[in-house]
Amino acid sequence: MGDITRLSAAELASSLSSGEISSVEATQAHLDRIGEVDGDVHAYLHVSENALSVAEDIDRRRAAGENLSPVAGVPLAVKDVLVTTDMPSTSGSRMLEGYMSPFDATVVQRSRQAGFVPLGKTNMDEFAMGSSTEHSAFGPTRNPWDLDRIPGGSGGGSAAAVAAFEAPLALGSDTGGSIRQPAHVTGTVGVKPTYGAVSRYGAIALASSLDQIGPVSRTVLDAGLLQDVIQGHDPHDSTSLPDAWPSMADAAREGARGEGLKGLRIGVLSDLLAAGIQDGVKSRFHEALDVLEKNGAEIIEVPSPHFEYAVAAYYLILPAEASSNLARFDSVRFGMRVTPEGGGTVEQVMSATREAGFGPEVKRRIILGTYALSAGYYDAYYGSAQKVRTLIQRDFNAAFEKVDVLASPSAPTTAFKLGEKLDDPLAMYLNDVTTIPANLAGVPGISVPVGLAPEDGLPVGIQFMAPAREDARLYRVGASLEKLLEEQWGHSLLSQAPQLGGTR
Ligand code: GLN
């Protein structure tokens, strides 16, 4: 057995079930890797003290002949936006430093039940607001491809952990791109499922009409293995869909066999391509489409006339919902409490706590959202943004009459430098131009690596989007492309990543 941390989750799962390795070995290898590189990367906010005993338990049950799930014993990283009973859950905020939840998020509970071994909690922008992980109250995560660059956000910790072989697989959340954009800049795979496909129960809410939980991985098949475990109805989430879902892992396997590509109509969003996309991102995107076309797909340009208003609408809807969701951090029910010197009224305590507990980006959005919702401005801001949201949904509906999936670059640029956009919120927001439309419409999206940009040698991803409930289509086309590109390159993209830690 070579280096265990280099195995995909699917490979690990089969080595575990054949008895070639134990879950304790798999878990220990990842803990060692974390010890080796996480001082540089800072993907984790907390490493689990229980991981090895959980792994031991899985090994014991396997030895006793118990019929375990196919992924039992595979390690998993968990974004800190998801609450866990055995590790603190901070959502990247001082407000929740050390907070212990009395229950597990549904996705965490289902992951545990399937036998995944939680390795730790991953870093993120505070309350999932950001595109770089620099807004974390606990310091930024760094991109394993270049430690001076951002790993994306808000789920930069999950993506960096997977890219740096500190976990084979991670859970993320995507409200405006926080799974797909980090995947794009780290050469990993990220999926935002259909809104309502995966339970949000126990995900610390950012914007409830946009939030979705999903997988980050190194292969499309691995993402499917995790989505299979977490998807499906949950009575604890009122927006959870009642649907029965097909296996996404099966869809990925079909895609890798080339099924579903012949005659597949792929719509290229020409309006999004006009939105200031870096040259190397564009060229890798078009090359990927060429590969799909050569293998039987049909490429069709489709308009999306209202997408240009998506960022503006999102940055009203999100702050509006966030300002309401974050009202629960009132110094009484959760987390930190700051009492002004000499005591104070309830209001003074609340205000001192929120002043100390929230970082500048969170305050900015609470102020924006409160303003957008206030009497006299509601119609002009929040109301108009909701109308734009409907127009964007109609653009999607019109496009999906003509095509099966839509394609765009996953983000406009490769990983930017730490600090580059930190003082320019608008520039940071504009980075979300490609990912936000899917959240506004509730449709699923996947980001799959398509190579390195020639000008800077950094990873680029292609995004596919499908109609709501058609997540399987994304896994099929994503896995087809992944297979075709790897055949062309003769290796996987991440095997090209600069080696961290010195020993590999
Ligand atoms: N970058 C987006 C934002 O700052 C994405 C957030 C997310 O998906 N959680 O709002």
Short mmCIF file of all heavy atoms in Angstrom, two decimals, residues 79 125 127-131 153-155 173-179 206 211 314-315 318 361 365 428-429 432 436 439, ligand 1:
data_model
loop_
_atom_site.label_atom_id
_atom_site.label_comp_id
_atom_site.label_asym_id
_atom_site.label_seq_id
_atom_site.Cartn_x
_atom_site.Cartn_y
_atom_site.Cartn_z
N LYS A 79 -17.19 21.15 7.48
CA LYS A 79 -17.14 22.62 7.56
C LYS A 79 -17.71 23.08 8.89
O LYS A 79 -18.73 22.55 9.35
CB LYS A 79 -17.91 23.23 6.38
CG LYS A 79 -17.76 24.74 6.26
CD LYS A 79 -18.51 25.27 5.03
CE LYS A 79 -18.40 26.79 4.92
NZ LYS A 79 -19.15 27.33 3.75
N ASP A 125 -14.93 31.58 6.05
CA ASP A 125 -15.23 32.98 6.32
C ASP A 125 -16.30 33.03 7.40
O ASP A 125 -17.20 32.18 7.46
CB ASP A 125 -15.78 33.65 5.06
CG ASP A 125 -14.70 33.93 4.02
OD1 ASP A 125 -13.79 34.71 4.33
OD2 ASP A 125 -14.78 33.36 2.92
N PHE A 127 -19.37 33.22 9.47
CA PHE A 127 -20.77 32.97 9.11
C PHE A 127 -20.95 32.77 7.60
O PHE A 127 -21.98 33.09 7.03
CB PHE A 127 -21.69 34.07 9.65
CG PHE A 127 -21.85 33.99 11.15
CD1 PHE A 127 -21.32 34.97 11.97
CD2 PHE A 127 -22.51 32.91 11.73
CE1 PHE A 127 -21.44 34.87 13.35
CE2 PHE A 127 -22.65 32.82 13.12
CZ PHE A 127 -22.10 33.80 13.93
N ALA A 128 -19.90 32.25 6.95
CA ALA A 128 -19.94 31.88 5.52
C ALA A 128 -20.06 33.09 4.60
O ALA A 128 -20.53 32.97 3.48
CB ALA A 128 -21.03 30.86 5.23
N MET A 129 -19.63 34.26 5.09
CA MET A 129 -19.68 35.47 4.27
C MET A 129 -18.31 35.77 3.72
O MET A 129 -17.45 36.29 4.44
CB MET A 129 -20.15 36.65 5.12
CG MET A 129 -21.54 36.48 5.69
SD MET A 129 -21.94 37.90 6.70
CE MET A 129 -23.47 37.37 7.44
N GLY A 130 -18.10 35.45 2.44
CA GLY A 130 -16.83 35.78 1.83
C GLY A 130 -16.46 34.80 0.75
O GLY A 130 -17.13 33.79 0.53
N SER A 131 -15.40 35.12 0.02
CA SER A 131 -14.95 34.30 -1.10
C SER A 131 -13.47 33.96 -0.98
O SER A 131 -12.82 33.60 -1.96
CB SER A 131 -15.19 35.05 -2.41
OG SER A 131 -16.49 35.54 -2.48
N GLY A 153 -13.66 30.82 -0.88
CA GLY A 153 -14.48 30.93 0.31
C GLY A 153 -15.94 30.90 -0.04
O GLY A 153 -16.29 30.91 -1.21
N SER A 154 -16.78 30.72 0.92
CA SER A 154 -16.39 30.70 2.32
C SER A 154 -15.78 29.38 2.76
O SER A 154 -15.08 29.34 3.77
CB SER A 154 -17.61 30.99 3.19
OG SER A 154 -18.56 29.94 3.06
N GLY A 155 -15.96 28.31 2.01
CA GLY A 155 -15.47 27.01 2.46
C GLY A 155 -14.05 26.71 2.05
O GLY A 155 -13.73 25.58 1.62
N SER A 173 -20.83 24.16 2.51
CA SER A 173 -22.14 24.79 2.32
C SER A 173 -21.99 25.84 1.24
O SER A 173 -20.93 26.43 1.08
CB SER A 173 -22.63 25.43 3.62
OG SER A 173 -21.84 26.54 3.95
N ASP A 174 -23.06 26.02 0.48
CA ASP A 174 -22.99 26.89 -0.69
C ASP A 174 -24.25 27.75 -0.74
O ASP A 174 -25.33 27.26 -0.97
CB ASP A 174 -22.88 26.01 -1.95
CG ASP A 174 -22.56 26.78 -3.23
OD1 ASP A 174 -23.22 27.80 -3.47
OD2 ASP A 174 -21.67 26.33 -3.98
N THR A 175 -24.05 29.04 -0.46
CA THR A 175 -25.14 30.01 -0.44
C THR A 175 -25.08 30.90 -1.68
O THR A 175 -26.07 31.37 -2.19
CB THR A 175 -25.05 30.86 0.84
OG1 THR A 175 -25.03 29.98 1.96
CG2 THR A 175 -26.21 31.84 0.98
N GLY A 176 -23.81 31.11 -2.13
CA GLY A 176 -23.59 31.92 -3.33
C GLY A 176 -22.37 31.42 -4.09
O GLY A 176 -21.82 32.13 -4.93
N GLY A 177 -21.90 30.22 -3.72
CA GLY A 177 -20.73 29.66 -4.41
C GLY A 177 -19.69 29.06 -3.49
O GLY A 177 -18.64 28.60 -3.95
N SER A 178 -19.95 29.00 -2.19
CA SER A 178 -18.93 28.63 -1.22
C SER A 178 -18.42 27.19 -1.29
O SER A 178 -17.47 26.83 -0.60
CB SER A 178 -19.42 28.90 0.20
OG SER A 178 -19.45 30.28 0.41
N ILE A 179 -19.06 26.35 -2.11
CA ILE A 179 -18.49 25.04 -2.40
C ILE A 179 -17.80 25.08 -3.76
O ILE A 179 -16.67 24.62 -3.92
CB ILE A 179 -19.59 23.94 -2.41
CG1 ILE A 179 -20.11 23.71 -0.99
CG2 ILE A 179 -19.07 22.64 -3.02
CD1 ILE A 179 -21.28 22.73 -0.90
N LEU A 206 -27.09 31.15 7.11
CA LEU A 206 -26.65 32.43 6.55
C LEU A 206 -27.88 33.07 5.88
O LEU A 206 -28.46 33.99 6.42
CB LEU A 206 -25.49 32.20 5.56
CG LEU A 206 -25.06 33.39 4.72
CD1 LEU A 206 -24.75 34.62 5.54
CD2 LEU A 206 -23.83 33.02 3.87
N ASP A 211 -29.11 28.80 1.11
CA ASP A 211 -28.15 27.84 1.69
C ASP A 211 -28.38 26.41 1.21
O ASP A 211 -29.52 25.94 1.20
CB ASP A 211 -28.26 27.81 3.23
CG ASP A 211 -27.92 29.12 3.92
OD1 ASP A 211 -27.32 30.00 3.29
OD2 ASP A 211 -28.25 29.25 5.13
N TYR A 314 -28.46 39.41 -5.28
CA TYR A 314 -27.97 38.52 -4.20
C TYR A 314 -27.47 39.33 -3.01
O TYR A 314 -27.75 38.98 -1.86
CB TYR A 314 -26.86 37.64 -4.77
CG TYR A 314 -26.10 36.81 -3.76
CD1 TYR A 314 -26.50 35.51 -3.45
CD2 TYR A 314 -24.96 37.31 -3.13
CE1 TYR A 314 -25.78 34.75 -2.55
CE2 TYR A 314 -24.24 36.56 -2.23
CZ TYR A 314 -24.64 35.26 -1.94
OH TYR A 314 -23.93 34.51 -1.05
N TYR A 315 -26.73 40.41 -3.28
CA TYR A 315 -26.16 41.18 -2.18
C TYR A 315 -27.18 42.12 -1.52
O TYR A 315 -26.83 42.96 -0.70
CB TYR A 315 -24.85 41.88 -2.60
CG TYR A 315 -23.71 40.87 -2.49
CD1 TYR A 315 -23.21 40.21 -3.60
CD2 TYR A 315 -23.18 40.53 -1.25
CE1 TYR A 315 -22.21 39.24 -3.49
CE2 TYR A 315 -22.18 39.56 -1.12
CZ TYR A 315 -21.70 38.93 -2.25
OH TYR A 315 -20.71 37.98 -2.11
N LEU A 318 -29.26 38.29 0.31
CA LEU A 318 -28.45 37.62 1.33
C LEU A 318 -28.32 38.45 2.60
O LEU A 318 -28.61 37.96 3.69
CB LEU A 318 -27.07 37.23 0.78
CG LEU A 318 -26.20 36.58 1.87
CD1 LEU A 318 -25.51 35.34 1.37
CD2 LEU A 318 -25.24 37.54 2.51
N GLU A 361 -16.96 42.28 8.14
CA GLU A 361 -17.79 41.89 6.99
C GLU A 361 -19.20 41.52 7.46
O GLU A 361 -20.20 41.84 6.81
CB GLU A 361 -17.14 40.72 6.23
CG GLU A 361 -17.93 40.23 5.02
CD GLU A 361 -18.11 41.28 3.92
OE1 GLU A 361 -17.34 42.27 3.88
OE2 GLU A 361 -19.04 41.13 3.11
N ARG A 365 -22.77 43.44 6.45
CA ARG A 365 -23.95 42.81 5.85
C ARG A 365 -25.19 42.96 6.73
O ARG A 365 -26.30 43.08 6.21
CB ARG A 365 -23.66 41.35 5.54
CG ARG A 365 -22.56 41.24 4.50
CD ARG A 365 -22.60 39.91 3.81
NE ARG A 365 -21.36 39.68 3.07
CZ ARG A 365 -21.19 38.66 2.24
NH1 ARG A 365 -22.16 37.80 2.05
NH2 ARG A 365 -20.05 38.51 1.61
N MET A 428 -14.58 41.70 -4.14
CA MET A 428 -14.80 40.37 -3.56
C MET A 428 -16.16 39.85 -4.00
O MET A 428 -16.29 38.70 -4.41
CB MET A 428 -14.72 40.47 -2.03
CG MET A 428 -14.62 39.16 -1.30
SD MET A 428 -12.98 38.42 -1.41
CE MET A 428 -12.20 39.04 0.09
N TYR A 429 -17.19 40.68 -3.96
CA TYR A 429 -18.55 40.25 -4.32
C TYR A 429 -18.61 39.87 -5.80
O TYR A 429 -19.30 38.92 -6.18
CB TYR A 429 -19.58 41.35 -4.05
CG TYR A 429 -19.71 41.79 -2.59
CD1 TYR A 429 -20.43 42.93 -2.24
CD2 TYR A 429 -19.12 41.06 -1.56
CE1 TYR A 429 -20.55 43.34 -0.92
CE2 TYR A 429 -19.24 41.48 -0.24
CZ TYR A 429 -19.95 42.62 0.08
OH TYR A 429 -20.07 43.02 1.39
N ASP A 432 -18.21 36.41 -7.35
CA ASP A 432 -19.28 35.41 -7.25
C ASP A 432 -20.22 35.42 -8.45
O ASP A 432 -21.25 34.74 -8.43
CB ASP A 432 -20.12 35.66 -5.99
CG ASP A 432 -19.30 35.67 -4.72
OD1 ASP A 432 -18.21 35.08 -4.71
OD2 ASP A 432 -19.75 36.29 -3.73
N ILE A 436 -23.51 32.65 -8.22
CA ILE A 436 -24.73 33.15 -7.57
C ILE A 436 -26.04 32.78 -8.29
O ILE A 436 -27.02 32.42 -7.63
CB ILE A 436 -24.60 34.68 -7.36
CG1 ILE A 436 -23.79 34.95 -6.09
CG2 ILE A 436 -25.94 35.38 -7.31
CD1 ILE A 436 -23.46 36.42 -5.88
N ASN A 439 -27.83 29.64 -7.06
CA ASN A 439 -28.44 29.74 -5.73
C ASN A 439 -29.75 30.51 -5.80
O ASN A 439 -30.73 30.15 -5.14
CB ASN A 439 -27.50 30.44 -4.74
CG ASN A 439 -26.19 29.70 -4.58
OD1 ASN A 439 -25.30 29.87 -5.39
ND2 ASN A 439 -26.10 28.87 -3.55
N1 GLN B 1 -19.01 34.59 -1.61
C1 GLN B 1 -20.40 34.50 -1.29
C2 GLN B 1 -20.73 35.44 -0.18
O1 GLN B 1 -19.85 36.04 0.31
C3 GLN B 1 -20.71 33.07 -1.00
C4 GLN B 1 -21.13 32.75 0.37
C5 GLN B 1 -21.54 31.30 0.54
O2 GLN B 1 -21.80 30.58 -0.42
N2 GLN B 1 -21.64 30.90 1.79
O3 GLN B 1 -21.84 35.62 0.19
#
